[in-house]
Structures are given as C-alpha cells and as structure tokens.
Amino acid sequence: MSIMRIHQHPISLGDAAKRDVRTQFAALPFRIVQDKVQVMLITSRGTKRWILPKGWPMDGMTPAQSAAEEAFEEAGVRGKPYDVCVGVYSYNKVMENGPDLPCLAMVFPLKVKRVLSTYPEKNERRRKWLPIKRAAEKISEPELRAILKGFDPRLLRR
C-alpha cells in the first residue's frame, strides 16, 4: 500500500479537553462490478447526510472486526475485513444528550460478500452503492473525501 497524503483539518475540541477526543472505527464497504470499484454509503440517523458505517471500539474485537460489525448493524453487509487502516479523519459526533464529541475515525476496508435484506438499523438509514468518485462527492468531511478518492483495493493484500 502506498503512503497517502491527506490535507488535514484542525480538530474542533469545543468545550472538550484534549483527553476527551474519542476514537471510532469505520468500515469502507466495497465491491468490484465489471472491473469498477463501488463503495457503499449510508445515511446518518440524525442529519441524513451520507457517511460510512462506524462506531465505538468493541471489547474482544480488532479495530477492523469492530468496523465490520458496524457495517452489518448499520448497512446490512457482511464480508472480509482488512486489518489495514487506509486513513484517519476527524469529525464532531452530534450527541443527543450533551455536547458534541470530537472524534477521530480510523477507516478499514471491508470486501462485501453478502448484502442482507434485514439488519438491525434497516428502518433508520438508507444505503447506496456508488462509484468512488460519486461517493466522495456526497461526503461532507474533506479528509474522508480524500480517503475515498485515494482508495484502491488492488493494493490490499489478498
């Protein structure tokens, strides 16, 4: 895998202290159709903007396994998670009962093998397969857009 250079944006801590920054693990669900890479985006529950499935670390799971579990719960996909972080981006997680949390999300590729018709958050989100370039255009976080644009699954170890 080549080194990816991403223009980073300052983390907005707001009222949080530097020790309050949280880490989440995001899945980058992908498939190859007619030699073209497609990625799956989902909508967030609150603002309905397009995002990657992501969540908090899970006890007893690697970061890639945690990301894959989030992809199942939020997007209804199962597949092969890769234990390689293809990028990190920052964002503010909107919290219902309290101030927003500054977060860093580590992105792990997930080669999708099954798309399920029923899954835990089916009624809370939309999901959509898109070519990488179109997917990147729908993402609001600049760092995540750059990660998508630079993603090449051919560079992953098989």
Side-chain angles (χ1 to χ4, degrees), residues 17 25 34 48 65 70 72 82 86 90 94 103-104 119 130 142:
F25 302 128
Q34 298 177 347
K48 303 299 181 197
Q65 289 169 337
E70 291 296 336
F72 160 69
Y82 286 85
V86 294
S90 60
V94 177
C103 290
L104 290 176
Y119 51 98
L130 296 162

Side-chain angles (χ1 to χ4, degrees), residues 37-106:
V37 180
Q38 295 180 339
V39 297
M40 180 181 277
L41 298 182
I42 62 170
T43 55
S44 67
R45 285 191 279 202
T47 63
K48 303 299 181 197
R49 73 189 191 289
W50 290 102
I51 62 170
L52 292 179
K54 65 184 172 304
W56 305 110
M58 295 183 191
D59 191 39
M61 291 187 178
T62 68
Q65 289 169 337
S66 292
E69 181 61 24
E70 291 296 336
F72 160 69
E73 292 175 10
E74 297 180 356
V77 294
R78 291 280 192 196
K80 178 191 181 340
Y82 286 85
D83 286 325
V84 59
C85 177
V86 294
V88 177
Y89 68 98
S90 60
Y91 76 101
N92 283 319
K93 181 167 183 61
V94 177
M95 302 302 290
E96 292 178 18
N97 302 325
D100 294 353
L101 289 177
C103 290
L104 290 176
M106 300 175 66

Side-chain angles (χ1 to χ4, degrees), residues 120-136:
E121 296 184 18
K122 178 182 179 171
N123 296 326
E124 301 172 50
R125 302 175 187 274
R126 290 179 49 217
R127 63 185 180 183
K128 188 171 202 163
W129 285 107
L130 296 162
I132 287 179
K133 186 177 177 182
R134 286 203 37 231

Side-chain angles (χ1 to χ4, degrees), residues 2-32:
S2 64
I3 294 176
M4 196 168 35
R5 299 204 188 280
I6 297 173
H7 178 71
Q8 296 183 357
H9 294 267
I11 295 170
S12 175
L13 292 177
D15 293 334
K18 64 183 177 182
R19 290 190 174 98
D20 293 334
V21 175
R22 304 293 195 265
T23 301
Q24 289 198 314
F25 302 128
L28 177 49
F30 74 93
R31 67 182 181 186
I32 300 172

